[in-house]
């Protein structure tokens, strides 16, 4: 893996290339969810595919958590700004609403949302790999029961 977590942690400007990288990986990974060809070959590949893609999912999760931490940091700074430095006294609720409406905070919310979409696509990929393993198990049981004419093509 490219170590995107450390890159993004050190520089939020690397988030766009990270999104591009993970989207490209997802495009490549879609074929890993298909079940065709030799059953034994598919069965051997699944654990490695799951381990690799799950590792990527964990990196995506770590980046998403880092973005959430940064978003909370922006919120706290904006909240303090509105609570302490606004030209009239604001209630804590008003300061909170102003902070949530600040453009820097909104921009970070959009970024978090976009990266959450990448995470959700990885979760869908993991479900596809789980379904593939389940189908391999079912086909193996059918063959064990004597139904040798099962075809995957």
């Amino acid at each position: 893996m490219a170590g995107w977590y450390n890159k993004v942690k050190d520089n939020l400007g690397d988030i766009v290339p990270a999104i591009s990288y993970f989207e490209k990986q997802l495009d490549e990974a879609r074929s890993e969810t298909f079940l065709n060809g030799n059953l034994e070959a598919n069965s051997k590949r699944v654990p490695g595919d799951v381990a690799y893609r799950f590792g990527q999912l964990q990196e995506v999760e770590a980046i998403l958590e880092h973005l959430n931490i940064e978003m909370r940091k922006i919120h706290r700074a904006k909240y303090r700004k509105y609570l302490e430095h606004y030209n009239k006294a604001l209630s804590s609720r008003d300061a909170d609403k102003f902070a949530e409406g600040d453009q820097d905070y909104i921009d970070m919310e959009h970024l978090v949302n976009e990266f959450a979409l990448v995470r959700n696509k990885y979760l869908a990929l993991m479900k596809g790999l789980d379904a593939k393993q389940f189908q391999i198990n079912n086909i193996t049981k059918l063959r064990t029961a004597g139904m040798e004419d099962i075809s995957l093509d």
Side-chain angles (χ1 to χ4, degrees):
M1 279 186 238
W4 285 103
Y5 172 73
N6 288 325
K7 288 181 183 179
V8 170
K9 186 178 76 162
D10 295 340
N11 179 11
L12 281 180
D14 284 332
I15 194 69
V16 173
I19 290 171
S20 297
Y21 170 79
F22 286 114
E23 288 282 352
K24 185 177 179 231
Q25 289 292 301
L26 283 164
D27 289 341
E28 292 173 11
R30 293 203 202 303
S31 65
E32 295 170 9
T33 62
F34 298 126
L35 182 59
N36 55 20
N38 184 287
L39 184 66
E40 288 75 20
N42 275 280
S43 185
K44 283 193 282 187
R45 272 195 312 273
V46 169
D49 291 345
V50 169
Y52 183 69
R53 299 307 176 182
F54 188 74
Q56 287 182 321
L57 172 61
Q58 294 309 298
E59 188 169 23
V60 166
E61 290 278 5
I63 292 169
L64 184 59
E65 181 58 26
H66 177 72
L67 292 175
N68 279 314
I69 290 167
E70 291 298 315
M71 186 172 69
R72 288 190 299 267
K73 189 166 106 178
I74 290 170
H75 183 269
R76 282 190 303 273
K78 299 300 180 179
Y79 175 82
R80 181 176 291 131
K81 175 186 124 182
Y82 287 113
L83 193 61
E84 296 174 359
H85 303 293
Y86 200 66
N87 58 1
K88 70 174 193 163
L90 296 175
S91 69
S92 60
R93 181 73 181 138
D94 289 338
D96 187 53
K97 286 297 178 190
F98 277 33
E100 288 176 357
D102 192 273
Q103 192 60 48
D104 291 340
Y105 183 77
I106 290 171
D107 291 343
M108 186 55 111
E109 274 188 315
H110 286 299
L111 196 57
V112 166
N113 189 49
E114 188 170 345
F115 211 78
L117 178 61
V118 172
R119 188 262 327 262
N120 292 343
K121 289 178 181 179
Y122 264 94
L123 292 173
L125 174 67
M126 296 308 297
K127 284 191 169 282
L129 290 171
D130 284 344
K132 180 179 181 178
Q133 180 60 44
F134 183 75
Q135 285 305 98
I136 289 172
N137 187 37
N138 286 342
I139 293 167
T140 302
K141 286 180 181 178
L142 287 172
R143 285 190 176 171
T144 302
M147 302 179 97
E148 295 293 331
D149 60 345
I150 301 298
S151 175
L152 300 177
D153 297 322

